[in-house]
Amino acid sequence: MTGKNQLVEQHILEYGSRLKHFDELLEQAEQGITETPKHDEIRTKLKELQQKRDELTSHFEQMKLKLDKNWEVEMIEKSGPMGIWDTLAQDLEHLLERMKL
């Protein structure tokens, strides 16, 4: 396996790890919501985050398919999805902190 392929595999594993972490945070947030008007804004934000998560997951799956079909490895290297997941998870963590207040 070449260095490029190893790097791509590492990125795929990291992406999967961040997805799992995000899903755990999302589940925690959903469990903390109560049926009160004060949580309407939180519910809306959670729906937005879930939609972004679904879009990123779809993009990730497409990248993996392209890799499986021997497409250019540079597509994944240039996409830099790790920062996107970090930002998304940070938004969700802040939302969870607000819920605990």
Side-chain angles (χ1 to χ4, degrees):
M1 184 176 295
T2 67
K4 262 187 179 181
N5 288 340
Q6 288 174 331
L7 182 61
V8 169
E9 280 190 25
Q10 180 182 352
H11 280 285
I12 288 172
L13 290 173
E14 287 178 25
Y15 198 96
S17 175
R18 288 191 170 119
L19 173 61
K20 181 181 176 186
H21 175 69
F22 185 81
D23 286 344
E24 290 167 354
L25 289 173
L26 191 60
E27 183 178 331
Q28 184 181 0
E30 288 172 347
Q31 290 174 357
I33 289 182
T34 59
E35 294 300 322
T36 61
K38 107 177 184 183
H39 284 155
D40 287 344
E41 178 186 344
I42 292 172
R43 262 187 230 91
T44 300
K45 183 65 175 176
L46 279 175
K47 285 179 185 176
E48 290 173 10
L49 290 169
Q50 178 68 46
Q51 184 178 7
K52 288 180 184 178
R53 177 243 182 256
D54 293 344
E55 290 170 8
L56 290 171
T57 301
S58 175
H59 177 68
F60 174 63
E61 292 301 324
Q62 289 173 6
M63 286 191 309
K64 282 177 41 178
L65 284 174
K66 289 176 183 177
L67 183 63
D68 290 341
K69 294 179 180 179
N70 295 321
W71 282 52
E72 291 292 323
V73 172
E74 284 84 7
M75 290 183 71
I76 292 176
E77 291 176 337
K78 291 178 183 178
S79 66
M82 302 315 153
I84 295 169
W85 279 112
D86 289 340
T87 301
L88 203 54
Q90 187 177 41
D91 286 348
L92 185 53
E93 287 169 346
H94 289 192
L95 190 60
L96 282 169
E97 287 174 11
R98 285 181 36 207
M99 288 172 61
K100 291 177 184 176
L101 295 179

